[in-house]
Amino acid sequence: MDLGKLYEKYNILIDAKNNVSEHVQDFADAIEGARGGEKEKKLSTQILSKFFKHFPSLQIKALNAILDLCEDDDSMIRICAMKALPLMCKDSQEHLNKIIYILAQLLQLEDQEYNIAASSIKSIYRDFPQQVIKALYLFIQNSTDVNVREKCISFILKTLLTTPVNVNKDEIEDTIIDESKKLLTYANPEEFIIIMPYLISSKYGKTLSGANNLLEIIAEQMDLDQEFEHEEIGSIEKLIMCTKYAINLFSPKCESNKFLVYICDHVLPQWCNLYNVQNSKDVQLQILKLLAEVSLHCGKLENPSLQVASIFNLLKLYMPPPPDTDDTTLPSVDFTAVECLLFSFHRIARQCSDFLTQDPEVLRDFRARLLYFSRCAQGCKKVLNHTIVSRVTVQSKDVEKMKMAPSILENIRALIKDLFYTPPIYKVSITLSFLKKIVTPEPSVAKTGVTMKRHIPITFDGDSNKGMKQLKNSRGDNLRLYQPPSGKFSNNSNFQSYDRSGRGRGGFRGRGRGHLNRNWRN
């Protein structure tokens, strides 16, 4: 059908007004116009969206025509078709699921077309928020395209949640939480990464039952009942990712026991094998930091001596015994790793306080290591103070380490002090250095060696008139100078300085991308 005849059909439908539903054939001809040229397709789209509600018997056919235009080679026609879908849905809610199904698939487009598809969904969402949310989750559940599924989940949690609607937002949030929980049961790793942070930060994750339920889901995702596959980088990434999520849910009433037992019983025994992993040092340090945080929320263990032994054996690996010679060279040690292991040992060993005292030889060897490591820490602290005081230029990658170093060394000192009691005690409470807000240490002015501007000396004899005049001019005429004590008290004053410091298993799945699915058609 050419453009002129299509305009005739449009005018007929406009002029019919209240009797427009009688012109079924004219509307059917307008549907056929969607197969014409560029101008015919655009005009046909306008006619179909404007009079869609008046012709129920032709609505499926009209939707098919719009879907064809959504796949047109011309991007402007695709955009025009996407803009028509919210208008067709507004007065014909029975097709909402089908229209959302189309638009959800179009979220895989890029740039302007993605924005139009997203804007069309938001337009329908403002009128029917609950129905749109359920329709999107139903589409996600039935879709096999992982790329489209991921795009839809992100769209719901990052876009629709911030879109204003005229209904109670709490009801919408409840629907999203319920649907997201269902989705987690069959979500792939990419979807899990999107959904879990939302549920943790939601009101559901802040309840005791919600936190426990999410921890069960995380534990299932980690396969805590299976052996740790250290040779697969996917298993290591999953361990780190899931443990980080779990840490946000731990509390005195949501204990971390099963996670700590898994790390101690399955991960730490494979420690030497992790050296073969790419960026092994960074990976190992991440795991040790997670172990320290997990141990902070650990409750009563069934057999704590097993977990303590795993931590203790790894701790000795990081804390070398003192050398047999008088070599004063400081060994290369990882203070952050030692802080994490000492903290974990200190937290869990209190559940079996006789662990170190059962064998005097073990305790003697361990204290020798502690003493030697403590001396290494003191040497490191001196070097650090010299670097700060002398303002030695350091590489940017070392700046953050220098900021954390004082806190790390102080934590190690406090933990070692507890272990040197007879018998060892486990009472000191510290905050892990990487959980503290770091304050950059300031160099001491007295030790910088920098020439300071010379100030007017404070004198108390008659030659100080010039200086006093200058002080009066700069600070006011009513300045009262300090007078030192005189008489019998002047020689007996005793001021003492003091120091306050004292202290799916395996890797993730790939992504695919396909064409629009038309299975919804009747």
Side-chain angles (χ1 to χ4, degrees):
M1 181 176 292
D2 60 34
L3 187 63
K5 290 184 179 180
L6 199 56
Y7 266 114
E8 290 179 7
K9 302 297 180 182
Y10 179 72
N11 291 329
I12 291 173
L13 294 171
I14 283 288
D15 294 338
K17 296 183 179 179
N18 294 335
N19 298 322
V20 65
S21 58
E22 298 176 2
H23 297 268
V24 177
Q25 186 57 48
D26 295 310
F27 187 77
D29 292 339
I31 295 175
E32 295 300 320
R35 300 178 181 178
E38 176 186 351
K39 294 181 179 179
E40 287 80 4
K41 290 177 179 177
K42 290 182 178 179
L43 180 56
S44 177
T45 300
Q46 295 179 33
I47 296 173
L48 297 183
S49 62
K50 186 175 182 65
F51 300 104
F52 183 79
K53 64 181 179 180
H54 298 291
F55 302 95
S57 62
L58 295 174
Q59 286 180 350
I60 297 298
K61 190 174 181 180
L63 271 177
N64 284 340
I66 293 297
L67 177 55
D68 289 335
L69 296 179
C70 287
E71 294 185 285
D72 196 87
D73 294 335
D74 189 334
S75 63
M76 297 308 298
I77 294 176
R78 294 197 298 269
I79 290 173
C80 186
M82 284 188 278
K83 289 182 177 179
L85 289 173
L87 298 175
M88 300 171 74
C89 182
K90 188 169 185 180
D91 297 310
S92 303
Q93 298 179 35
E94 63 270 23
H95 300 293
L96 184 144
N97 281 9
K98 300 175 183 179
I99 292 174
I100 291 298
Y101 193 100
I102 298 171
L103 290 171
Q105 294 178 76
L106 295 173
L107 289 175
Q108 65 184 306
L109 301 175
E110 303 294 335
D111 302 327
Q112 183 182 8
E113 292 181 82
Y114 169 83
N115 293 334
I116 297 299
S119 178
S120 297
I121 296 178
K122 288 194 289 185
S123 178
I124 303 173
Y125 173 75
R126 291 187 184 96
D127 295 325
F128 314 106
Q130 292 281 12
Q131 295 92 316
V132 169
I133 292 296
K134 292 180 179 179
L136 282 172
Y137 275 103
L138 182 62
F139 165 76
I140 294 169
Q141 179 180 348
N142 295 325
S143 176
T144 57
D145 189 326
V146 294
N147 184 46
V148 176
R149 284 164 57 98
E150 184 181 337
K151 284 283 188 74
C152 287
I153 296 171
S154 296
F155 179 75
I156 294 171
L157 301 182
K158 298 178 182 179
T159 302
L160 285 190
L161 273 175
T162 60
T163 301
V165 290
N166 296 324
V167 298
N168 190 341
K169 294 282 285 186
D170 290 338
E171 296 179 2
I172 297 175
E173 186 180 3
D174 290 339
T175 301
I176 293 177
I177 290 173
D178 291 340
E179 296 294 337
S180 295
K181 287 191 297 181
K182 296 176 186 176
L183 189 58
L184 272 182
T185 59
Y186 51 87
N188 63 35
E190 289 84 359
E191 295 162 358
F192 185 86
I193 292 172
I194 301 172
I195 299 171
M196 185 54 70
Y198 165 72
L199 290 177
I200 291 173
S201 62
S202 69
K203 62 183 181 181
Y204 176 74
K206 292 178 172 57
T207 64
L208 180 60
S209 60
N212 279 317
N213 187 33
L214 292 178
L215 284 174
E216 289 296 327
I217 295 174
I218 294 172
E220 183 178 347
Q221 182 77 9
M222 290 177 66
D223 296 321
L224 295 184
D225 56 339
Q226 303 293 328
E227 290 296 325
F228 176 65
E229 297 181 358
H230 62 274
E231 68 277 3
E232 294 190 15
I233 187 64
S235 296
I236 299 173
E237 290 176 349
K238 183 167 63 175
L239 168 71
I240 294 173
M241 176 192 70
C242 291
T243 308
K244 284 182 178 179
Y245 291 149
I247 286 172
N248 292 303
L249 296 166
F250 293 145
S251 69
K253 295 184 179 180
C254 291
E255 297 175 341
S256 61
N257 293 28
K258 64 174 65 176
F259 294 87
L260 182 129
V261 169
Y262 179 77
I263 294 175
C264 291
D265 293 358
H266 297 274
V267 179
L268 298 190
Q270 303 285 350
W271 200 253
C272 293
N273 295 323
L274 293 179
Y275 288 114
N276 300 323
V277 178
Q278 187 178 8
N279 300 321
S280 59
K281 288 187 178 180
D282 292 337
V283 169
Q284 289 175 323
L285 186 57
Q286 284 190 69
I287 295 175
L288 291 181
K289 287 182 177 180
L290 294 174
L291 170 64
E293 290 192 74
V294 169
S295 67
L296 183 62
H297 304 280
C298 182
K300 184 65 176 176
L301 294 171
E302 184 176 345
N303 194 356
S305 60
L306 294 178
Q307 288 74 51
V308 172
S310 294
I311 299 172
F312 182 73
N313 292 333
L314 186 58
L315 179 59
K316 290 197 297 181
L317 185 65
Y318 281 87
M319 298 183 69
D324 297 331
T325 63
D326 295 333
D327 186 9
T328 58
T329 305
L330 294 178
S332 177
V333 292
D334 190 335
F335 288 98
T336 305
V338 171
E339 178 198 14
C340 295
L341 287 167
L342 268 177
F343 180 85
S344 303
F345 178 81
H346 191 273
R347 293 288 304 181
I348 309 304
R350 63 186 63 184
Q351 296 191 28
C352 50
S353 55
D354 60 343
F355 178 84
L356 288 175
T357 56
Q358 287 178 344
D359 187 340
E361 188 59 34
V362 170
L363 179 59
R364 187 180 303 109
D365 173 74
F366 186 51
R367 283 184 170 171
R369 293 171 185 264
L370 290 175
L371 183 59
Y372 178 60
F373 192 86
S374 180
R375 290 173 179 172
C376 293
Q378 291 176 4
C380 180
K381 188 173 183 180
K382 290 180 181 179
V383 174
L384 176 67
N385 291 338
H386 173 73
T387 303
I388 295 175
V389 168
S390 59
R391 299 185 179 182
V392 175
T393 303
V394 296
Q395 298 182 11
S396 58
K397 66 179 181 179
D398 296 327
V399 172
E400 192 65 27
K401 294 180 180 179
M402 287 186 58
K403 291 180 180 180
M404 295 181 62
S407 178
I408 296 173
L409 297 175
E410 177 58 27
N411 284 345
I412 292 174
R413 186 201 67 80
L415 293 169
I416 289 178
K417 184 178 179 180
D418 258 12
L419 298 176
F420 264 105
Y421 278 90
T422 303
I425 62 174
Y426 306 93
K427 294 183 178 180
V428 69
S429 177
I430 66 169
T431 302
L432 291 162
S433 60
F434 52 88
L435 300 181
K436 291 181 180 179
K437 184 177 179 181
I438 303 300
V439 179
T440 305
E442 295 291 338
S444 173
V445 174
K447 299 182 180 180
T448 57
V450 179
T451 304
M452 306 297 291
K453 182 176 178 182
R454 195 167 188 177
H455 293 280
I456 301 169
I458 300 177
T459 59
F460 303 98
D461 53 28
D463 296 332
S464 61
N465 292 335
K466 181 178 179 180
M468 291 178 64
K469 288 180 181 179
Q470 291 177 353
L471 285 172
K472 287 182 179 180
N473 291 336
S474 62
R475 301 182 60 183
D477 295 335
N478 296 326
L479 180 67
R480 298 181 62 127
L481 295 179
Y482 168 73
Q483 297 294 329
S486 59
K488 63 179 180 179
F489 297 105
S490 60
N491 296 324
N492 295 331
S493 58
N494 183 19
F495 297 98
Q496 297 180 351
S497 60
Y498 60 94
D499 179 16
R500 299 185 184 182
S501 62
R503 319 194 344 138
R505 310 196 65 193
F508 293 159
R509 294 179 229 168
R511 301 179 181 178
R513 178 173 179 174
H515 299 288
L516 293 180
N517 189 333
R518 307 187 183 197
N519 292 335
W520 57 267
R521 294 183 178 183
N522 295 333

